[in-house]
């Protein structure tokens, strides 16, 4: 243990050698799902011992590691980029791309759980007063994809990103989620599309207000109706397609944080502030389940159809509902938050408690007109300044960063816990709207 707490040059070699021994041992065993109880115990003991070393190494060297990877915090690496750089520069600290590629070919139940090592790494990085804020800034920058598409969107007012369609009408950017194959359940693909759309809406100078809504579905039960979001795509999770870096961390630190805090623009005059922010409106049709309900907590105004409902079925799924544990108590109070998160309570739009989650409830036929009135109100000249001050009062960056540090670790553990693996296996075979 003391070897990984020594000076960095010696510690990185000691960690690499220990990790290599564990990898060599695992290579002698059958694949995880074919191991005997004794073999599983042997693997777990070796993996746990190596993780103890990783944690001890990072207790001492997190800032030095981060500074080396980012060239003294002059490079801004997003979470996935940072993980790849760490794997290359510090063997044994986090899994390599090759190791993760093998993991991606396996269903969740058959994986080694290598992303837990990423969780250990990001817990330490985000908790650091030096490295953490720098990584948060990196995640607030526009994506390269958005920058490539910006000129085209500004000229045409439309971008079809695949799972999200972005249209500008007047001064309003309308983001429509159109994954009708899964009722707008989120996966790695949709996270990339929606972050790109958020960036474009924030960067386009012609946009004053942004609106997020679900599109019209073709699913038999909802054919011809709009649906907001069915949350995380459990079939993708069961199949091993939900990534800690490209989904779970990117989602919270990327597009959701940008909706709340804006996109960070280098060229912006420093005295004006570092970010471009805009007011956001959400309109909920049918339901906002899981990740869909999480989104509402960062919007400035939320409207809902009278037959819609909201839920955070964390107890059913076994995972942590993003930053909802951090934000819902502030928005709705501790009692309702515990009922929703710990007990799986559904809140219907017509219940009195729903007014803690949404601003307006309308019959479906009247929702369109109500949305237009809402976006027009948020075009007021003083809205942006007051929005910023309200958000500063509600949620500090430091508190959010500390939450996300622990979230990175705990969510990685949950992804590979036996109860989650069992539940998503059952849910993945169910119909999308009844899977939660």
């Amino acid at each position: 243990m003391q070897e990984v707490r020594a000076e960095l040059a010696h510690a990185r070699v000691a960690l690499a050698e220990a990790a290599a021994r564990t990898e060599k041992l695992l290579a002698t065993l059958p694949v995880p799902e074919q191991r005997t109880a004794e073999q599983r115990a042997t693997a777990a003991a070796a993996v746990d011992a190596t993780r103890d070393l990783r944690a001890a190494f990072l207790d001492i060297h997190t800032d030095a590691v981060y500074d080396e990877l980012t060239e003294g915090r002059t490079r801004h690496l997003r979470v996935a980029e940072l993980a790849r750089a760490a794997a290359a520069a510090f063997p044994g600290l986090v899994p390599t791309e090759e190791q993760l590629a093998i993991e991606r070919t396996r269903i969740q139940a058959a994986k080694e759980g290598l992303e837990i090592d990423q969780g250990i790494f990001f817990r330490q990085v985000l908790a650091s007063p030096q490295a953490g804020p720098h990584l948060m800034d990196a995640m607030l920058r526009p994506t390269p994809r958005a920058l490539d598409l910006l000129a085209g969107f500004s000229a045409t007012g439309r971008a079809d990103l695949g799972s999200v369609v972005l249209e500008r009408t007047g001064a309003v950017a309308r983001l429509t989620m159109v994954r009708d194959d899964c009722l707008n359940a989120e996966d790695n693909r949709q996270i990339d599309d929606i972050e790109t759309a958020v960036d474009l809406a924030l960067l386009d100078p012609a946009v004053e207000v942004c609106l997020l809504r679900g599109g019209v579905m073709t699913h038999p039960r909802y054919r011809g109706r709009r649906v907001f979001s069915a949350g995380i795509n459990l079939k993708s999770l069961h199949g091993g397609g939900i990534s800690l870096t490209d989904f779970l961390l990117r989602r919270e630190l990327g597009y959701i944080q940008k909706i709340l805090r804006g996109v960070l623009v280098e060229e912006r005059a420093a005295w004006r502030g570092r970010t471009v922010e805009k007011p956001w409106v959400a309109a909920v049709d049918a339901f906002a389940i899981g990740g869909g309900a999480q989104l509402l907590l960062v919007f400035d105004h939320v409207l809902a159809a009278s037959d819609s409902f909201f839920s955070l079925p964390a107890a059913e799924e076994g995972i942590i509902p993003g930053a909802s544990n951090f934000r819902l108590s502030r928005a709705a109070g501790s009692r309702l938050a515990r009922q929703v998160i710990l007990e799986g309570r559904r809140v219907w739009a017509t219940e009195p408690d729903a007014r803690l989650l949404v601003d307006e409830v309308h019959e479906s036929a009247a929702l369109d007109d109500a949305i237009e009135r809402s976006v027009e109100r948020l075009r007021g000249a003083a809205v942006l300044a007051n929005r910023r001050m309200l958000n500063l009062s509600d949620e500090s960056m430091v508190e959010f960063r500390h939450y996300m540090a622990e979230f990175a670790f705990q969510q990685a553990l949950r992804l590979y816990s036996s109860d989650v693996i069992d539940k998503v296996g059952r849910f993945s075979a169910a119909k999308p709207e009844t899977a939660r």
Side-chain angles (χ1 to χ4, degrees), residues 183 222 226-230 284-289 308-310 433:
L183 300 179
Y222 296 94
R226 289 181 181 268
V227 164
F228 189 70
S229 174
V284 178
D285 299 272
F287 47 70
I289 299 173
S308 62
F309 70 86
F310 316 90
E433 77 280 9

Side-chain angles (χ1 to χ4, degrees), residues 362-403:
H362 298 274
E363 296 297 320
S364 294
L367 192 56
D368 287 353
D369 288 342
I371 290 170
E372 297 310 311
R373 291 192 297 270
S374 174
V375 296
E376 186 61 30
R377 287 195 303 271
L378 288 179
R379 292 181 63 190
V383 166
L384 277 179
N386 282 290
R387 175 189 191 270
R388 174 171 288 195
M389 301 312 294
L390 285 166
N391 287 340
L392 282 173
S393 174
D394 285 345
E395 177 180 316
S396 78
M397 179 74 89
V398 173
E399 291 176 318
F400 176 64
R401 177 169 58 81
H402 287 163
Y403 175 89

Side-chain angles (χ1 to χ4, degrees), residues 55-341:
F57 174 86
L58 288 167
D59 280 344
I60 303 298
H61 300 297
T62 293
D63 287 337
V65 168
Y66 189 83
D67 280 354
E68 180 174 330
L69 298 177
T70 61
E71 298 177 11
R73 282 173 269 162
T74 61
R75 298 174 63 208
H76 293 86
L77 302 180
R78 292 168 64 83
V79 287
E81 295 170 328
L82 186 66
R84 287 193 292 270
F90 293 88
L93 182 58
V94 293
T96 65
E97 277 295 289
E98 293 75 18
Q99 290 172 318
L100 291 172
I102 294 170
E103 288 276 87
R104 284 192 290 269
T105 66
R106 301 170 173 170
I107 64 171
Q108 197 71 8
K111 293 184 178 185
E112 292 280 8
L114 300 181
E115 287 177 304
I116 293 173
D117 299 318
Q118 291 181 329
I120 294 170
F121 175 67
F122 283 109
R123 174 176 61 178
Q124 294 295 102
V125 170
L126 286 166
S128 164
Q130 287 76 43
H134 190 267
L135 178 57
M136 300 284 278
D137 277 359
M139 295 303 294
L140 284 176
R141 292 167 180 266
T143 64
R145 183 185 179 196
L147 293 175
D148 288 342
L149 295 173
L150 180 58
F153 173 69
S154 295
T156 66
R158 192 175 195 279
D160 187 341
L161 303 169
S163 62
V164 181
V165 174
L166 174 63
E167 297 176 288
R168 185 186 65 237
T169 58
V172 181
R174 301 172 189 271
L175 289 72
T176 306
M177 299 177 287
V178 293
R179 284 292 299 276
D180 58 359
D181 60 314
C182 57
L183 300 179
N184 288 329
E186 289 184 307
D187 54 18
N188 287 10
R189 166 193 166 190
Q190 186 152 337
I191 296 303
D192 183 62
D193 289 347
I194 198 167
E195 183 169 10
T196 303
V198 168
D199 283 348
L200 291 172
L202 290 170
L203 292 171
D204 183 1
V207 171
E208 297 178 21
V209 183
C210 307
L211 168 70
L212 180 66
R213 195 177 187 185
V216 176
M217 299 290 107
T218 60
H219 185 279
R221 183 168 177 179
Y222 296 94
R223 190 182 305 278
R225 295 178 56 194
R226 289 181 181 268
V227 164
F228 189 70
S229 174
I232 191 171
N233 190 317
L234 293 176
K235 288 187 177 181
S236 289
L237 178 56
H238 170 68
I242 296 296
S243 162
L244 178 68
T245 57
D246 290 318
F247 183 100
L248 294 163
L249 293 181
R250 178 178 179 178
R251 183 176 187 273
E252 301 299 328
L253 298 176
Y255 87 84
I256 297 180
Q257 188 183 197
K258 287 173 178 176
I259 289 172
L260 180 66
R261 295 187 170 90
V263 63
L264 195 154
V265 181
E266 283 278 317
E267 297 77 16
R268 185 176 172 85
W271 65 269
R272 290 184 178 274
R274 303 185 310 149
T275 57
V276 175
E277 303 177 36
K278 287 169 186 176
W280 285 84
V281 175
V284 178
D285 299 272
F287 47 70
I289 299 173
Q294 296 166 28
L295 285 177
L296 305 181
L297 299 173
V298 298
F299 277 75
D300 300 296
H301 197 82
V302 179
L303 304 95
S306 58
D307 60 350
S308 62
F309 70 86
F310 316 90
S311 68
L312 288 166
E316 280 187 87
E317 296 168 353
I319 58 177
I320 299 168
S324 297
N325 309 64
F326 178 67
R327 294 180 174 130
L328 186 57
S329 291
R330 300 180 182 206
S334 178
R335 295 270 54 87
L336 181 60
R338 291 173 186 277
Q339 291 167 21
V340 171
I341 293 173

